[in-house]
Amino acid sequence: MKPPVLRCRHVKKRYGTFTALEDLSLEVYEGEIFALLGPNGAGKSTLIHCITGLAKQSEGSIEVLGFDTVHDFRTTRRLVGLVPQEINYDPFFTPLESLMIQMGLMGVEPSRERAETLLKTFALDEKRDAYTRTLSGGMKRRLLVAKSLVHEPRLLFLDEPTAGVDVELRRELWQEVEELRAAGTTIVLTTHYIEEAEQLADRIGILHKGELLLVESRESLLERHGGRSLEDIYLELIRKADGRHAA
Amino acid sequence: MSTIALKTLFLKEVRRFSKVWLQTVLSPLVTTSLYFLVFGVALGSRLREISGVPYIQFVVPGLVMMTMVRDSFLNTSSSLFQSKINGTITDILVAPIGALEMLLAYVGAAMLRAFLVGTLVYLVALWFTWFPLHHAGWSLFFAVFVTATLALLGMVAALWAEKFDHLAIFPNFVLLPLAFLGGVFYSIDLLPEPWYTVSLFNPLLYMVNGLRYGFLGVADVSPVASAGVVLASFLVLVGVASALLRSGYNLRS
Ligand SMILES: Nc1ncnc2c1ncn2[C@@H]1O[C@H](COP(=O)(O)OP(=O)(O)OP(=O)(O)O)[C@@H](O)[C@H]1O
Ligand SMILES: [Mg+2]
């Protein structure tokens, strides 16, 4: 097996007295698509934020390709890309400018050519010089995806990239994800469309109230549950866990 | 340290204020020039000399300092706070950018804006009342360290603030009154006790008088005392701002 691209060891995250992640350990391997599923508030974004630098774990360690995300943050952040769940955009800059700026911020010499290629890939070239606030919601999200790729990350996090994106573009986006994976990028995604995970993911992790209930390859998970859909399996697991918490 | 990231972040901050130059450059220039016309030109023609210089000249360094204080504070505080609120701070937080690059880029851009406005105000004043610069070195020293200090204070304020109201406290209820009471328009020698002594606790007094010494060679306090206060404030704020950035205070949850 290839070495882990991501290794989380006993990661705990507390917000004040609230525990959002409870002793979480996880490995993600080179070239795979890993789907992180879980209900609202399970801690999916929290975990992604701890890895990408938006938050800091309270305990435990996180490594990207063997580099610690706290001590070697300059190295790990060059290796990691993030499409955040919340859409954000800088009203001061156009899509083209935003991409050029993001390259520089990521420590890559800004290249207009690369920016234009990305705009084309995400069907934004017509809007390259528009005010970003005039883009539609789906376009803004595609711009976020383009921005996350400016530095050619080895490990890409997509936190609900398809929320609010129309069917056609969703398909295109997942196709783009497949292509990235084919080019060697490791991908961790979250989605509430379980069937998307069923189609795409090599492995699946189910997070519930800050705890990983399960991490398994899609194949063996589906096989184990003989013919049932991932959505059914997912719901059963979550309900069982809810019952356990209630008891 | 990533020099590409530093350069990009600095230029991004510069472009941000240049794109809204009416608000960030022209507006403070007009406001400060109006102060100068009313207090310096109109009233100044009726007033005697103050500290041995014509009143119209006396107010120039104070006004230049007042606008530089305000503009450097506003540039860092509004930029950082806005990106915190609209979420674009994410772009910086996920990037391989350390506290040092953030400080240098934000403070550098704020200083550039403050110097731009300050220089323009100075030129307007010179057009009305030409006077030779008494000491270029001291003038530059105070301009550099005061704008850097206020830019750092702006960063600290933006990190601390949770809503726009919090941020508005500083320019309106702290900086403006302290600048006025710090002798922009008068010499504290004119004040009775206890106000004279109270004034000595106002850090803006040292900033205003430091630049006044540089411009005109007169001041209520010695330039060395002013430099001491300014440098001490600078160092304290460098410490506070870098500690906050390093810990991710109100940035990385
Ligand atoms: N900055 C914060 N301060 C306090 N609590 C937080 C913070 N961020 C997240 N939480 C809490 O941590 C828990 C996990 O949130 P998180 O955003 O990670 O969930 P999620 O799995 O991404 O959910 P969703 O599917 O809705 O995006 C929630 O209870 C949330 O309220
Ligand atoms: Mg989330």
Side-chain angles (χ1 to χ4, degrees):
Chain A
M1 198 178 259
K2 287 175 177 170
V5 175
L6 172 68
R7 175 181 273 150
C8 303
R9 266 183 247 178
H10 303 293
V11 171
K12 256 191 204 176
K13 175 64 188 177
R14 283 182 292 267
Y15 294 112
T17 55
F18 175 77
T19 304
L21 292 176
E22 183 78 69
D23 195 35
L24 185 145
S25 295
L26 173 70
E27 290 183 354
V28 173
Y29 302 99
E30 185 142 21
E32 72 175 343
I33 298 183
F34 186 92
L36 190 59
L37 306 179
N40 289 138
K44 305 179 295 295
S45 298
T46 299
L47 177 62
I48 291 174
H49 291 178
C50 289
I51 302 163
T52 52
L54 297 188
K56 214 163 160 183
Q57 69 268 27
S58 317
E59 280 174 41
S61 69
I62 301 171
E63 284 173 11
V64 174
L65 287 161
F67 297 99
D68 184 89
T69 53
V70 175
H71 299 112
D72 295 317
F73 75 92
R74 285 176 202 274
T75 311
T76 62
R77 290 193 200 150
R78 271 291 275 111
L79 296 166
V80 169
L82 167 67
V83 180
Q85 181 175 358
E86 309 283 341
I87 289 185
N88 70 66
Y89 62 94
D90 200 321
F92 284 85
F93 301 112
T94 65
L96 180 64
E97 289 172 328
S98 298
L99 289 180
M100 299 279 284
I101 289 171
Q102 198 59 28
M103 277 180 225
L105 293 180
M106 294 310 297
V108 182
E109 195 62 62
S111 142
R112 200 187 167 94
E113 208 185 316
R114 173 143 179 80
E116 286 179 349
T117 310
L118 281 165
L119 288 170
K120 273 209 193 79
T121 307
F122 291 96
L124 288 166
D125 39 346
E126 269 176 35
K127 300 281 181 181
R128 45 181 269 173
D129 298 319
Y131 283 114
T132 308
R133 73 180 146 75
T134 66
L135 267 57
S136 77
M139 291 173 181
K140 286 187 191 123
R141 202 170 278 283
R142 278 182 278 150
L143 179 59
L144 284 186
V145 180
K147 261 165 75 179
S148 75
L149 295 173
V150 292
H151 58 299
E152 303 183 337
R154 296 273 302 273
L155 172 60
L156 178 65
F157 289 90
L158 298 153
D159 198 354
E160 290 185 39
T162 50
V165 177
D166 70 44
V167 193
E168 195 188 348
L169 289 172
R170 235 153 71 194
R171 287 240 174 114
E172 278 174 32
L173 186 70
W174 291 135
Q175 200 177 334
E176 180 60 30
V177 167
E178 297 268 21
E179 277 164 29
L180 282 170
R181 189 261 291 271
T185 311
T186 307
I187 288 153
V188 175
L189 58 91
T190 77
T191 175
H192 289 292
Y193 303 106
I194 309 292
E195 70 281 4
E196 289 182 346
E198 182 166 353
Q199 281 168 29
L200 276 164
D202 301 307
R203 280 198 311 145
I204 287 159
I206 298 182
L207 195 60
H208 179 265
K209 299 202 168 138
E211 283 180 77
L212 271 173
L213 297 180
L214 163 153
V215 177
E216 197 171 343
S217 79
R218 176 192 55 179
E219 269 170 32
S220 87
L221 185 62
L222 291 174
E223 205 178 279
R224 220 155 43 81
H225 292 80
R228 292 166 63 204
S229 74
L230 181 59
E231 190 162 311
D232 286 343
I233 303 167
Y234 168 83
L235 278 175
E236 186 186 300
L237 266 165
I238 295 294
R239 288 199 181 122
K240 220 188 267 170
D242 276 334
R244 201 183 65 212
H245 271 270
Chain B
M1 194 174 83
S2 163
T3 47
I4 297 180
L6 172 61
K7 195 175 120 195
T8 307
L9 193 53
F10 171 75
L11 290 177
K12 175 174 173 236
E13 288 304 302
V14 172
R15 277 159 82 186
R16 173 186 289 278
F17 80 70
S18 335
K19 282 198 179 192
V20 284
W21 65 277
L22 278 177
Q23 197 189 323
T24 54
V25 178
L26 194 63
S27 153
L29 174 62
V30 168
T31 312
T32 314
S33 301
L34 279 175
Y35 275 126
F36 175 68
L37 290 177
V38 173
F39 287 93
V41 180
L43 281 176
S45 62
R46 310 252 157 199
L47 289 174
R48 285 184 305 129
E49 295 189 329
I50 206 166
S51 310
V53 293
Y55 188 70
I56 184 173
Q57 291 175 11
F58 179 85
V59 295
V60 173
L63 287 172
V64 169
M65 195 43 109
M66 193 163 79
T67 197
M68 288 180 96
V69 159
R70 192 178 157 85
D71 293 324
S72 48
F73 177 89
L74 282 180
N75 206 67
T76 50
S77 64
S78 55
S79 173
L80 189 55
F81 185 72
Q82 269 176 30
S83 57
K84 228 173 79 172
I85 294 300
N86 68 21
T88 48
I89 192 75
T90 304
D91 296 346
I92 296 170
L93 296 181
V94 299
I97 291 177
L100 182 63
E101 293 101 301
M102 266 188 93
L103 280 183
L104 290 175
Y106 275 89
V107 170
M111 288 174 71
L112 184 65
R113 167 171 158 193
F115 267 74
L116 197 62
V117 180
T119 307
L120 290 173
V121 168
Y122 179 51
L123 292 178
V124 168
L126 282 188
W127 191 71
F128 280 94
T129 172
W130 192 88
F131 57 88
L133 192 60
H134 176 77
H135 199 301
W138 276 125
S139 303
L140 195 63
F141 172 87
F142 286 107
V144 165
F145 282 97
V146 170
T147 51
T149 304
L150 270 294
L152 288 163
L153 183 65
M155 292 188 84
V156 172
L159 290 174
W160 164 78
E162 262 146 35
K163 46 183 189 175
F164 279 101
D165 271 4
H166 288 158
L167 210 56
I169 294 173
F170 290 88
N172 301 322
F173 300 113
V174 181
L175 298 180
L176 190 70
L178 284 184
F180 270 59
L181 299 174
V184 170
F185 297 107
Y186 57 81
S187 157
I188 59 164
D189 287 340
L190 303 172
L191 294 178
E193 285 293 0
W195 302 115
Y196 177 86
T197 308
V198 168
S199 297
L200 293 177
F201 288 93
N202 176 358
L204 268 288
L205 174 86
Y206 299 89
M207 301 180 173
V208 167
N209 276 281
L211 194 66
R212 183 168 290 141
Y213 182 82
F215 275 21
L216 300 167
V218 299
D220 293 339
V221 281
S222 82
V224 175
S226 291
V229 171
V230 168
L231 267 185
S233 324
F234 172 74
L235 291 176
V236 167
L237 277 155
V238 166
V240 174
S242 44
L244 291 183
L245 283 176
R246 249 181 225 121
S247 75
Y249 170 77
N250 277 352
L251 277 185
R252 302 183 203 273
S253 52

